[in-house]
Amino acid sequence: GNAFLAGRLKSLARRVEILPTPIDTRAYQPPAHRPEAGRITVGWMGTSCNLFFLPEVFAALREVADLVRVFVVSDEPCVFPSGLPATFLSWSPSAEVEHLQSMDVGLMPLTDDEYTRGKCGFKLLQYMACGVVPVASDVGFNREIVTHGRDGFLVRGPAETVACVERLARDPDLRLAMAEAARRTVQEKFSLTAAADKLFAWLGLGARPARTR
């Protein structure tokens, strides 16, 4: 799924290839319309075992509480700090895409350790496929998904997260341009189509029959 995992396997196999986790860009799509006025929605979606990444970031986001509203989508509730407009939503497969489409900015804060360097960035791909601008820790495979300043932001700590969120909140044109670039990145590099092309080539099966993305 990424270069870190591949490096661990190279001593055990004669051939190792990297096939990043793909996403179905026909199922994960941007909404038809996003409101341009008012507070932006800053979201996080993930399993409850990763909620521990959030408290410091949420505490810092109180600095821009007049510009944002926050929501978390997970299998278990989380605790929000006072002074931050925030909502918890229970994850469900039927509402997953709708919840993603409700976001303007998607957070992926991480520590820097073996656990996070082994992650394959599926949360980022979900955000970006739905036209959500990612603000992600400058760690591991995040660096291979996001091009800083073009289709998202790579940050080091809560202070940089807040600065990027504030910039996106105050500049709707930048937010729209980065959202469109994020969607293109996923379509070109991380879609099912892109994954199938790589896999067919590795297996020596020739060109994959053309299909629309």
Side-chain angles (χ1 to χ4, degrees):
N2 63 39
F4 176 79
L5 298 176
R8 290 302 186 92
L9 294 171
K10 284 182 178 177
S11 64
L12 305 174
R14 287 178 295 176
R15 181 182 178 188
V16 177
E17 300 285 359
I18 299 172
L19 186 66
T21 304
I23 190 165
D24 186 350
T25 52
R26 292 167 295 180
Y28 292 85
Q29 296 192 24
H33 173 72
R34 289 188 193 278
E36 297 183 4
R39 290 175 170 173
I40 65 167
T41 299
V42 179
W44 181 92
M45 179 179 286
T47 54
S48 56
C49 66
N50 288 319
L51 288 172
F52 72 92
F53 289 120
L54 300 177
E56 282 189 280
V57 174
F58 285 168
L61 283 173
R62 289 182 295 184
E63 297 177 22
V64 290
D66 59 325
L67 298 174
V68 305
R69 55 179 175 268
V70 171
F71 76 90
V72 166
V73 183
S74 189
D75 55 297
E76 291 184 10
C78 70
V79 177
F80 297 109
S82 61
L84 182 69
T87 304
F88 168 79
L89 298 170
S90 293
W91 181 89
S92 72
S94 60
E96 181 185 64
V97 173
E98 179 184 350
H99 290 331
L100 288 163
Q101 290 173 336
S102 298
M103 301 179 189
D104 296 295
V105 176
L107 300 176
M108 191 173 178
L110 298 174
T111 52
D112 188 1
D113 49 48
E114 287 202 339
Y115 171 58
T116 59
R117 289 192 289 271
K119 283 181 168 290
C120 294
F122 188 66
K123 191 192 314 293
L124 288 187
L125 301 181
Q126 288 180 304
Y127 293 156
M128 295 167 73
C130 290
V132 179
V133 182
V135 177
S137 292
D138 188 11
V139 172
F141 196 59
N142 289 1
R143 297 167 176 163
E144 299 181 53
I145 298 175
V146 174
T147 300
H148 181 74
R150 187 180 75 184
D151 51 22
F153 289 110
L154 295 171
V155 296
R156 296 178 181 175
E160 289 188 9
T161 297
V162 172
C164 291
V165 169
E166 181 176 9
R167 182 179 174 190
L168 289 166
R170 295 189 184 280
D171 191 340
D173 291 336
L174 174 67
R175 197 166 68 242
L176 176 61
M178 294 185 75
E180 292 175 347
R183 168 74 180 178
R184 284 195 303 273
T185 293
V186 173
Q187 287 178 306
E188 293 170 3
K189 298 181 179 179
F190 302 101
S191 64
L192 292 176
T193 299
D197 287 340
K198 286 185 178 181
L199 186 59
F200 269 63
W202 293 338
L203 297 176
L205 298 178
R208 180 189 55 80
R211 293 181 62 183
T212 60
R213 294 181 187 272

